[in-house]
Amino acid sequence: MTRCRRSILFVLLLLCTALFAMPVSAEPKFVLKLGHAVPEENAYHYGAVRFKELVEERTQGNVKIDIFPNNQLGTGERDILEGLQLGTIDMYVGSTGPVGGFEKRFLIFDFPFLFQNKTHVYSVLDGEIGRHILGLLESKGIRGLAWMENGFRNLTNSKRPVNGLGDIAGLKIRTQENKVHMAMWRLLGADPTPMAWSEVFTALQQGTIDGQENPIPVIYTSKLFEVQKYLALTQHVFSPAMIAVAQPVFMSLPKEYQTIFMAAAQEAALYQREVCDKMEHEYIETLKKNGMEVTTPDIEPLREASKKVYEDFRGELGDVAELLDNIISAKP
Ligand code: PAF
């Protein structure tokens, strides 16, 4: 081979390498904004990042997902969800806590001490009931893609260790904007104050409220140990989370991308649940190391005191009320 031919071949080889290295799509066709309410250290963010990676890879860069953590797109989860309905935000990862405000049947998961453990949770969420409830969002302009998790909620406060029902009396506790949660805390003798998540740290710091309730990963990653001395492992409500997309955005995607979204969301959800569960176990010790006093109150008196919620709110569940009995009887 002549020297000239070798050079031409070399240049061709370089060109081919450059062509293959280039992304198939230089400019994404869809750029979506995904918002969540917690710091990047939280398991929601891990789930969101995994979803982003899967979708961007499988659509060969034609869909780009930009993630906005820590309430950058709203004051809290209700606000972000409203953004999906208004068309200002495309995607959401977060709890179902505020959803009962616009789709009452979602309140089904907010009943106290409903789930025994995570096996019970996922036998319901990954089954017919879970699919049915997630599907109810479509008429509200939101497409639920998969169930992620926030975890079992626990009580923290700055006043005293909670060893039993009597210690909860009179505590001013921030709750989610959720009437079932509020009713439960009233029955337990507390003074519930609903508040957007972005305001909670400052309210705890300034003593406007005494406490709040959230899963362990939130308590640690949002650094609540800096403003709360006492953690009681009450596990009073399992807080599901979901990854969701605005329905018009979902419908604007080609069918094959819709399929990619559904599969990527389920895979990301399984990963997110694992990360969250690991954090839920590991961070109790970390919180103790950071100065929190941890108690494990007997939950039977709490369960007994709050059971009137079932009577008072069953009627709000409309045509899914009987699923409440199915959830209870699904317990492993
Ligand atoms: O308490 C809440 O509002 C939620 O649990 C939070 C912290 C935003 C995570 O979903």
Side-chain angles (χ1 to χ4, degrees):
M1 206 185 289
T2 65
R3 209 191 157 110
C4 171
R5 270 196 173 161
R6 263 208 307 270
S7 316
I8 293 173
L9 262 177
F10 182 67
V11 171
L12 277 174
L13 199 73
L14 275 181
L15 273 173
C16 286
T17 318
L19 265 177
F20 280 114
M22 257 165 64
V24 174
S25 155
E27 280 298 312
K29 295 196 175 71
F30 302 89
V31 180
L32 307 188
K33 282 196 282 185
L34 182 155
H36 68 74
V38 287
E40 286 168 61
E41 293 76 22
N42 190 284
Y44 285 174
H45 195 73
Y46 285 73
V49 169
R50 178 62 63 94
F51 175 77
K52 169 189 165 71
E53 287 168 355
L54 292 173
V55 166
E56 290 181 356
E57 185 196 312
R58 291 174 188 176
T59 62
Q60 287 145 336
N62 279 314
V63 179
K64 183 166 181 278
I65 315 274
D66 291 330
I67 304 174
F68 296 85
N70 229 352
N71 278 321
Q72 285 174 39
L73 300 181
T75 55
E77 293 184 329
R78 179 175 57 79
D79 213 24
I80 302 176
L81 280 166
E82 281 170 7
L84 263 72
Q85 293 178 310
L86 292 169
T88 52
I89 302 171
D90 305 302
M91 294 197 69
Y92 171 82
V93 168
S95 82
T96 55
V99 180
F102 58 88
E103 172 44 87
K104 279 189 188 171
R105 292 172 290 178
F106 252 74
L107 292 171
I108 194 164
F109 298 133
D110 295 306
F111 285 64
F113 304 105
L114 176 63
F115 289 107
Q116 308 287 303
N117 50 39
K118 291 211 182 148
T119 313
H120 185 195
V121 167
Y122 288 112
S123 71
V124 171
L125 292 186
D126 288 339
E128 220 173 289
I129 299 180
R131 276 192 295 278
H132 180 68
I133 301 290
L134 204 55
L136 297 174
L137 285 176
E138 271 172 54
S139 65
K140 307 290 171 190
I142 295 173
R143 168 71 68 123
L145 295 173
W147 290 113
M148 293 192 169
E149 79 173 38
N150 192 14
F152 280 99
R153 302 182 81 88
N154 299 289
L155 175 65
T156 68
N157 86 94
S158 56
K159 294 281 181 207
R160 52 184 169 262
V162 169
N163 286 301
L165 189 55
D167 300 320
I168 298 174
L171 288 178
K172 193 162 181 184
I173 292 168
R174 176 271 176 179
T175 67
Q176 290 194 282
E177 295 161 289
N178 181 302
K179 53 186 177 182
V180 173
H181 290 192
M182 289 174 69
M184 181 196 94
W185 286 107
R186 246 180 246 117
L187 287 166
L188 296 180
D191 175 10
T193 309
M195 195 181 278
W197 182 243
S198 62
E199 294 164 20
V200 176
F201 190 92
T202 311
L204 291 170
Q205 196 168 38
Q206 294 178 344
T208 339
I209 47 174
D210 303 319
Q212 65 81 52
E213 46 79 59
N214 249 301
I216 300 293
V218 172
I219 297 170
Y220 178 65
T221 59
S222 295
K223 296 191 168 32
L224 298 192
F225 53 84
E226 289 179 2
V227 285
Q228 297 277 268
K229 172 78 183 151
Y230 305 105
L231 163 64
L233 301 174
T234 45
Q235 311 249 302
H236 48 276
V237 165
F238 178 82
S239 180
M242 58 185 190
I243 176 162
V245 56
Q247 178 73 355
V249 173
F250 188 73
M251 294 316 285
S252 72
L253 297 171
K255 276 266 165 322
E256 56 182 300
Y257 288 0
Q258 293 181 358
T259 311
I260 289 173
F261 265 52
M262 300 298 290
Q266 190 58 29
E267 284 175 50
L270 294 180
Y271 169 68
Q272 189 274 347
R273 291 178 198 174
E274 252 176 54
V275 175
C276 189
D277 193 62
K278 200 160 173 272
M279 288 181 172
E280 219 168 346
H281 288 97
E282 281 179 13
Y283 287 166
I284 298 183
E285 282 313 307
T286 323
L287 287 168
K288 284 185 191 162
K289 285 191 192 122
N290 279 279
M292 287 194 97
E293 202 178 299
V294 182
T295 56
T296 311
D298 177 8
I299 60 158
E300 275 323 307
L302 277 66
R303 186 198 298 277
E304 194 53 34
S306 62
K307 74 176 189 214
K308 196 167 169 293
V309 164
Y310 283 75
E311 250 170 66
D312 294 349
F313 287 90
R314 199 186 164 87
E316 303 261 350
L317 298 179
D319 64 5
V320 302
E322 69 186 35
L323 296 184
L324 195 59
D325 305 319
N326 297 354
I327 295 177
I328 295 165
S329 60
K331 81 175 163 233

